[in-house]
Amino acid sequence: MKMIAFKKKTVRNIWLMAAFSLAASSCKKLLDKQPETFLTTTQMYRNVYDADAAVIGVYGKLMGLAKQYIVLNELRADLMQVTDNADADLREISSHTVSATNPYANPRPFYAVINDCNDVLKNLKIMVAANKIKQAEFDQRYSDIGCLRSWLYLQVGIHWGNIPYVTDPLETIDAVKDASKFPIIPFNQLIDSLINFTNTLPYQQPYPMGASINTGLMTNFDGYSTRRFFIDKFALLGDLNLWKGNYTAAATYYRKLMEPVNNGYDTDNANSLYSIGGLQYYDQFKQPFASVTDNNDLCIGYIRFKESDINSFIDNNTQGWRSMFVRSQDANWQKQWVWELPFNNNFAPENPFINLFSNRGGSYLVKPSKQAIDNWNSQTQTNGFPFDGRGSLTYRTFDGQPVICKYLYSYLDGTTFLPANLLQKNGNWFLNRAANVHLKFAEAANRDGRRKLAYGFLNIGISGTFAGPLGTATTNDQTNYENTLYESFPYNFDARYGDAPRFRADWYKNTGIRGTARLNAAPVSGDSTLSIENSILTEGALELAYEGERWPDLVRIAIRRNDNSIVANAIFNKLSKDGFANAAAIQAKLMDRKNWYLPFQF
Amino acid sequence: MFFRKRNIVIGLLFTAVVISACKKAFNDANSTNDSNLTVNLYQAIQQNNGTAIFASLLIKSGYATLLASGTKSYTVWVPTDAALASLPSTILNDTALLRKFVGNHIANGTYNAGSVTLQRIPMLNGKYNNMIAGGIDSANFTASNKYASNGVWHIIDKYIPARDNCWEWINNSTNTANSKALLQFLNYNFFDSTLATQTGVDPNTGAPIYKAGTGIVVKNKFLVDGVNINDESTEYTFLVLDDGSFTTEYNKLSPWFKTGSTDSTKTLTGFWLYKDLAVKGSYAASALPDTLLSQFGVKVPVDKSKITASYKTSNGWVHVMSQVNFNLNYKFPPIILEGENPSGFAADRTANALYRIRINPNTGATFKDLLMQNYGYAGYWIRYLAKGLNSMRYNAYWVSVNDVQTTPLWTQKLCIDSANNPTTFTYVTVPYQNYNEVSLGQFTIANYRNVNLFVVGANTSSTSGGSVSIDVDYIKLVPAF
């Protein structure tokens, strides 16, 4: 992290120097000495530590995309709305009337990071050829940065549609515009290219760990562990195949991620937590049921035996669903988070989300749309309460204004919701977590003919969905129930939970996305594939709101069904419910798919 | 720090290069030749043709020195000499009145004319005047946005009288004696420790000791608990009953405020009568709707033919009425006590108290209730405080929702004043999934007072099965007159 700060200052110095030299050249030459603080390429890539620094540096650059990423993926979709404070650029994004000069619609920041990836990839190849790093070290780093580049291209493709696919490092970013060298390719072809490239990467697991976390890139610094710092390659491969429609392949990759102990995650395993049968084994990435006795979990919950009492709703920074967005990187945190990048006032870049979301110490530029609030308020919890508890924790009302709070819990005091320190804008960029992986797995399984399994992942978990006629009581003989072992990988799950005979199968704790939110199951009506897919799409809005999934979810499902109204109607609902007069015109515009994409203006 | 220092050095170098390399960039542009800015507001008004009288009034009232000073800026609305010709001599000959009158034309800060939205501007005399695009109060601008070194001034074709506000009006009125006497009767003394003189500290308690007779301020129940029509910054419409209609309406209300003393009854009746007669917003007689809604939610019928006189005040309008025929059903709306807002319990059973949010499946509306089950206490009760019940009969209802069990059903009862009161209501079985109001019966309150209501559970003790439970969505008391 210090490294990132250093780089930024260096960049600032370059600008100062450039301005200085311009001014000087126009008048009188004052300096003729080369700066001494810069490295040439040959000085830069000497050994594995330099390679690690380059990898970290790329992730540092990536963090500069956080604001644009959230604005594009959420404000373009139906859950986020601009406030009265928002400028014309944000308003354009929200209402799909984007002008060519809109900075949020400029892909250049993405290509800048892509070009950095290309540069690192090229130099890693040079290094391994020159025996400066070992083959295994090369495989891990090359695959990581390669995956990151594919992820960036997927983002660019989702928002800009037809784009140039550049895999060589460029001297200047503007060379991207050279259509003779880099032809514009359509989104379908982009996905094929990304799958081809990413599939051939030599290493798909997380960076390895030894007995402790301090090995290579898996380490602790500035108070943060890098366990979930790097892109998850299984998740990306799952996503690419889901976009492509390779449902079995997508489900296979997601399944590997959902069983982390078997697939190379957290192998430091300090106190056998992660070994087979260890405490984390049944919980990690598996959406486990709540810890009802003490609420030390990541579920919507109430104090035990007072589940019908609104005053016992778990709403704090250390217990329940809300805590995942603020808790330290402890065992519970690791059960949920797949990819998360930290912002801290001790290092650059500054957290952009305080300014974007907060009306206390920020500019309060965006807020939840009426549509998003209606989504939550149309749910019913198992205790009969007519709202989704996740809504109450995702946004809150401060000073009469609805404020998106997911990103603010590290910044605001946990009970007064006033900034603890206006200058300490700590927080996180939430990029991927287990609930998202489960919904994506369900989406793939549903389309792959495993509707009941998808229903289980979405609603009440595997054991409840595949329970026998006597139910899920552990006193029943569960030998022949609560499992899908008659299926082959990746759909063969064992969730048996019984005492006679005793079962504590791998998936016995899984309780589904709506199960962890204490919601009644979403009913299935009409065509079950479409009905379940609709429910999965809605569930994403409830569970993952403002985490950057919404616009891609809408677009992917609309393309899959060849039904542009999925996107058009969602945006219409947002705009009309928030009182935009031209909502119908925007709806008509979005019925044409080419209008989903931003102008590719460099 | 190393980087930052170096940046500063580079920045300075950069600036030096630019400045030294280029021509002289700035001309001296800080002098002015605007003659308006060479005179202050007083001089400008004095030198202007046609506003000499107001200038002389500025001298006479002492405001001239203020407007001649350069430390703050002001806005002055200057009536023409022609307008001031009709100024009554009573004002001219009374220094205090004159100062109040002139101060009604001057405001702190600068207010330019032309804004389309109405501005309510605080004046130096403590009054507020409304300015719109074309004028202020009832005067029109003949010239506007003239400026001087210390502010702006506008010329207006009428002077702005410094009127009484609604509260001053009633206190100075001579033809509504009953209403005036009643409202003044609502005055009370209030001890404000910030205004009192402290003479010592009680050695035993550490509490401050104040000099007797200090810190006493007079407050008025109507202004404090009702509508503060003494507030200049907000505009009100105030309906004042003439003597005849006052007696009619007062006698209509006083039976419902029986107390042990005639003074208490008078205070309560008078407050209840007047609390709905002042509403926010300035309505001239012609603009009055046929029904006003008071801030207490009471509909006030307004029959314009019963207006005997209307007076513009500095903060709205006063209309003297010969009749305001209140509908008692509006004046005494039903009292609703929400189940989730109890005032007490028989014993601490926090662990068994469920404050719930529910949907009424018949209407789709959400409601909150309080459900208590398995609390292990015979005759357990939840107490609700009904504030200010009138001396009248009430019909009692409740909504008690059992959506948790078809069997066993539980019973509960409502008691007035005491959980052991045998003379009120009997136990009622709460049926499964009944979301409607259940009529419990009628009770009579002899004297106006606060009343405790108790919802009492079955007189057996149980800690499981839900056979002994209490649920309250709300209790509703409907006056039966």
Side-chain angles (χ1 to χ4, degrees), chain A residues 444-521:
Chain A
N446 183 47
R447 282 284 169 180
D448 209 9
R450 272 67 176 190
R451 288 175 289 274
K452 191 172 180 185
L453 190 60
Y455 177 92
F457 269 86
L458 170 68
N459 286 303
I460 54 172
I462 302 163
S463 55
T465 305
F466 293 91
L470 295 175
T472 54
T474 53
T475 47
N476 298 333
D477 180 351
Q478 301 291 5
T479 308
N480 298 319
Y481 305 110
E482 300 188 333
N483 71 75
T484 60
L485 294 175
Y486 50 84
E487 292 269 19
S488 56
F489 193 84
Y491 301 118
N492 54 340
F493 289 92
D494 188 355
R496 286 176 289 180
Y497 184 16
D499 287 335
R502 184 180 165 85
F503 288 107
R504 293 295 184 269
D506 286 5
W507 283 86
Y508 84 96
K509 280 190 168 184
N510 172 261
T511 191
I513 302 297
R514 292 176 74 82
T516 52
R518 285 189 70 95
L519 294 181
N520 293 323

Side-chain angles (χ1 to χ4, degrees), chain A residues 385-396:
Chain A
F385 286 3
F387 64 91
D388 186 332
R390 294 170 297 185
S392 319
L393 304 175
T394 301
Y395 79 95
R396 313 182 83 95

Side-chain angles (χ1 to χ4, degrees), chain B residues 182-219:
Chain B
L182 185 276
L183 286 167
Q184 290 179 343
F185 183 77
L186 297 178
N187 282 346
Y188 61 95
N189 287 339
F190 176 80
F191 177 74
D192 183 347
S193 62
T194 62
L195 301 174
T197 310
Q198 189 176 348
T199 55
V201 174
D202 187 313
N204 298 320
T205 65
I209 299 172
Y210 296 104
K211 185 177 171 185
T214 65
I216 305 291
V217 286
V218 176
K219 291 198 172 190

